[in-house]
Amino acid sequence: MVAAVAATTANTAADVAPELLLGVAVDIVVRGSDSFASSLFGIESRFGQLVAVAILNVIVWVIESATDYVAARLWRGLSQSVEHDLRVETYANVQQLDVSWHEGSAPGRVLSVISEDINQLERFLDVGARVILHTFWTVIFVGAVFAATSWQLTLLAFLPVPIIVWGSIRFQRVLEPLYKAVREAAGEVSATVSANLGGLTTIKAFTAEEREIERVRGVSDAYREANRDAIRRSAAFVPLIRMAILAGFTSTLLLGGWFVLEGRLEIGLYTVLVFMTQRLLWPLTDLGETLDLYQRAMASTRRIFALMGERGQQQPGPATLPGPVRGRLELRDIRFGYADGPDVLRGLNLVVPAGETHAIVGATGAGKSSVLRLVLRFSDPREGSVELDGVDVRELTWDSLRGVIGYVSQDVFLFHGTIRDNIAYGRPDATDAEVHEAARLAEAARFIEATADGYDTVVGERGLTLSGGQRQRIALARAILRDPAVLVLDEATSAVDNETEAAIQRSLARVTSDRTALIVAHRLSTVRDADRIWVLAEGRVVEAGTHDELVAAGGLYSGLWAVQTGMAQAGDRLSD
């Protein structure tokens, strides 16, 4: 910043100097041996004086060109650095926000801030800051020349400056809400397009392409209209400045000419002042464009800092788990709900001893996945506590809590990259042998090795080049490779065929033999071998026991089992 300011200052001084040299040259032609250059250079010949002025002019132009290059490099480098730092810091804050915050925010709007708004600020720093500084130093340098010459001309030449400054401030206040509306409209466009691209298969399946095109056209038109309103106001600024410049230039031209005719001002100095007036006032026309960039940048900056200032409800605790981690889980008197909605879990108590495999089952909306959210601390309970090895998870750091948990979600997310990269996501330093072993344990090695590039196969965005069962097994391998003390699975076989389900069941039997596992399942066949099955209904535990115990009890679980195995339908036919 200091170097950029220094370079711009030197560049402005060199930029003003040619007008002074032009006045010296005119003075040489008019006055000859009595000219200012004659006494300055000690040269009698007019042509010799002009040669000296020409050489000095070349030097000034070289300095002006060199400092312009240096200033441009420095300002652009500075703007790129600020842009980089802001983008990383903003993304880092977004990354730290809890899952609940992200669920309530449109990803497209967040993307708009991190991408478009930060780029808008970079454009101002690249151009606008330099223009403002250049204009400031021009006023100082030109003002010094005028002040040394004539206070009357100084007054007339500088008379438009306060008017222009006042007009700039007024325009800023007018433009501020307009550009805020522009940035909000831009965020809406980004959010709509992002959401539509994410749901492209659904749009095509329901032949809603034209409807979504109209939706995008609508938000884009709102963005266009917001821009038009802002442009209509900002475009009026430069013509008004030109009128003020005309008044100052005309005053200097007439009053300075009169002083020359009266013999009160040398013609060379008059030439300097006429050109200096233009040099003083003309850069102020750039204030229109600069003001436009400034207001856009300020609207973007407010959105950037608003996003950087967001804080999630879940903050990490200070404690770490004492080793070795056993993996005992306990939920005590849990009452939990989403946002301001009703309770989803009501007085829930659940214990998973270390090393055992427990399952949570129940009808849709019973609160099964909510239990896993609390264990992973994606959300906190309204009442009660979740404990891992006797320590409240709210007291633990993220690494201490989630670092010992392997998680496989119902909606598996794979990153664009190779299969190996996705398996090793939780342990980037894992060896190829460890990756291959994790794939074998997850029953994924066979289909991976059958692909053309094996573990180097690129899976595409969200892993869409793979089937649902293949994605599930890669996700399971990713969790296994981490060697977690606790394995958490949310409907891991909900969208797979019978063969894939059998493969995942074999894999689970191997990998859960020496670790704690908590499994949410819709298919009861997946968890029939669990050490204990917890049956939820309306946010409460209504039954608990082994598969055989629950079937024999004839309760809710028994009914679910009968429906899934076809026994209920068979019984109905027999009774008929």
Side-chain angles (χ1 to χ4, degrees):
M1 171 66 84
V2 173
V5 169
T8 301
T9 302
N11 175 253
T12 307
D15 193 42
V16 171
E19 277 77 8
L20 292 172
L21 294 177
L22 178 62
V24 173
V26 171
D27 189 56
I28 291 171
V29 172
V30 173
R31 297 176 59 193
S33 58
D34 293 332
S35 68
F36 174 74
S38 175
S39 59
L40 179 65
F41 301 127
I43 300 173
E44 294 293 330
S45 167
R46 290 189 180 186
F47 184 73
Q49 294 174 29
L50 289 174
V51 169
V53 170
I55 293 172
L56 190 56
N57 187 60
V58 169
I59 294 173
V60 168
W61 275 76
V62 170
I63 294 174
E64 194 274 339
S65 298
T67 54
D68 184 67
Y69 170 77
V70 172
R73 284 283 304 272
L74 290 170
W75 281 112
R76 289 178 181 176
L78 177 66
S79 65
Q80 292 294 323
S81 295
V82 170
E83 178 186 31
H84 167 76
D85 290 345
L86 270 180
R87 179 172 288 118
V88 173
E89 289 179 27
T90 305
Y91 175 76
N93 187 63
V94 169
Q95 190 78 76
Q96 295 299 323
L97 295 173
D98 51 66
V99 174
S100 299
W101 186 92
H102 285 279
E103 289 172 342
S105 303
R109 290 190 178 89
V110 175
L111 181 62
S112 174
V113 173
I114 294 177
S115 178
E116 296 176 18
D117 284 314
I118 290 179
N119 288 343
Q120 191 70 54
L121 179 58
E122 181 266 337
R123 282 191 285 272
F124 170 72
L125 292 175
D126 188 6
V127 178
R130 187 181 175 197
V131 169
I132 290 173
L133 188 62
H134 181 76
T135 303
F136 169 77
W137 281 119
T138 297
V139 171
I140 296 298
F141 292 145
V142 172
V145 174
F146 267 90
T149 304
S150 167
W151 69 267
Q152 295 98 327
L153 289 174
T154 302
L155 180 63
L156 288 175
F158 277 78
L159 189 60
V161 174
I163 299 173
I164 293 171
V165 173
W166 175 82
S168 299
I169 295 173
R170 291 284 299 175
F171 260 76
Q172 285 181 27
R173 293 175 181 172
V174 171
L175 293 175
E176 182 176 347
L178 299 179
Y179 281 119
K180 179 181 179 182
V182 168
R183 297 317 310 155
E184 293 295 335
E188 190 65 30
V189 171
S190 182
T192 302
V193 172
S194 176
N196 283 10
L197 291 177
L200 199 59
T201 54
T202 303
I203 292 172
K204 289 184 175 296
F206 286 88
T207 60
E209 291 92 341
E210 290 300 322
R211 191 190 323 155
E212 294 305 326
I213 290 171
E214 287 304 314
R215 189 200 303 270
V216 172
R217 181 178 284 116
V219 295
S220 181
D221 188 60
Y223 176 57
R224 179 177 62 177
E225 289 303 316
N227 258 309
R228 280 178 175 173
D229 201 16
I231 291 169
R232 190 182 305 116
R233 301 293 184 90
S234 64
F237 186 62
V238 172
L240 293 176
I241 289 180
R242 287 176 181 269
M243 293 302 99
I245 290 172
L246 177 61
F249 184 79
T250 302
S251 299
T252 303
L253 188 67
L254 292 176
L255 183 61
W258 183 64
F259 281 173
V260 171
L261 295 175
E262 291 290 315
R264 296 167 59 184
L265 187 67
E266 295 293 339
I267 190 169
L269 195 53
Y270 171 63
T271 304
V272 170
L273 295 180
V274 170
F275 279 98
M276 281 289 185
T277 303
Q278 186 176 10
R279 174 64 65 185
L280 167 68
L281 299 177
W282 195 252
L284 295 177
T285 59
D286 291 337
L287 284 179
E289 181 180 352
T290 305
L291 184 61
D292 189 75
L293 286 174
Y294 172 79
Q295 285 299 343
R296 290 176 182 268
M298 289 304 100
S300 293
T301 301
R302 291 184 186 94
R303 283 162 52 89
I304 294 167
F305 286 143
L307 185 55
M308 291 180 69
E310 290 283 356
R311 294 292 180 267
Q313 295 179 353
Q314 282 76 48
Q315 296 296 322
T320 57
L321 279 173
V325 178
R326 296 178 293 113
R328 182 182 186 276
L329 290 171
E330 182 174 1
L331 286 78
R332 294 184 179 178
D333 302 320
I334 295 295
R335 187 172 71 85
F336 170 72
Y338 296 93
D340 297 327
D343 287 346
V344 176
L345 299 176
R346 304 173 177 87
L348 183 137
N349 288 277
L350 188 151
V351 178
V352 184
E356 291 191 7
T357 297
H358 284 216
I360 302 175
V361 301
T364 301
K368 303 185 297 295
S369 295
S370 298
V371 174
L372 301 191
R373 289 178 65 97
L374 297 176
V375 171
L376 288 158
R377 211 185 160 214
F378 291 161
S379 299
D380 285 333
R382 292 170 175 171
E383 291 180 7
S385 64
V386 180
E387 296 180 1
L388 176 59
D389 283 356
V391 181
D392 192 319
V393 295
R394 287 171 290 198
E395 298 297 320
L396 298 174
T397 65
W398 296 136
D399 285 339
S400 189
L401 172 61
R402 296 171 185 164
V404 299
I405 297 176
Y407 176 54
V408 180
S409 65
Q410 179 179 2
D411 182 19
V412 173
F413 185 92
L414 299 183
F415 295 90
H416 179 71
T418 66
I419 290 177
R420 187 202 183 282
D421 292 338
N422 276 280
I423 293 177
Y425 188 74
R427 276 186 59 199
D429 58 342
T431 65
D432 286 343
E434 290 171 328
V435 170
H436 296 174
E437 177 61 15
R440 185 188 67 79
L441 291 173
E443 297 270 350
R446 181 179 300 176
F447 86 79
I448 293 173
E449 293 164 1
T451 61
D453 297 319
Y455 288 86
D456 292 324
T457 299
V458 177
V459 301
E461 195 71 33
R462 299 184 66 89
L464 293 178
T465 60
L466 303 176
S467 69
Q470 289 170 336
R471 291 197 297 270
Q472 286 283 5
R473 281 180 277 180
I474 288 177
L476 184 57
R478 180 165 62 192
I480 292 170
L481 182 61
R482 207 172 189 188
D483 192 23
V486 179
L487 188 62
V488 173
L489 296 95
D490 187 4
E491 302 278 16
T493 62
S494 61
V496 299
D497 54 38
N498 292 333
E499 182 181 352
T500 302
E501 181 186 7
I504 292 176
Q505 283 180 311
R506 291 194 299 270
S507 175
L508 289 177
R510 287 194 294 269
V511 301
T512 60
S513 60
D514 58 349
R515 74 184 80 240
T516 305
L518 185 59
I519 305 171
V520 163
H522 176 71
R523 292 186 179 182
L524 303 184
S525 57
T526 307
V527 297
R528 62 181 301 173
D529 296 325
D531 296 303
R532 191 172 185 83
I533 299 171
W534 302 84
V535 184
L536 300 190
E538 297 182 351
R540 295 183 175 88
V541 175
V542 294
E543 291 180 301
T546 65
H547 170 78
D548 292 337
E549 290 172 347
L550 293 173
V551 170
L556 178 59
Y557 181 88
S558 179
L560 292 172
W561 176 256
V563 170
Q564 291 193 15
T565 58
M567 294 172 60
Q569 291 86 339
D572 290 341
R573 287 195 297 271
L574 288 173
S575 64
D576 290 341

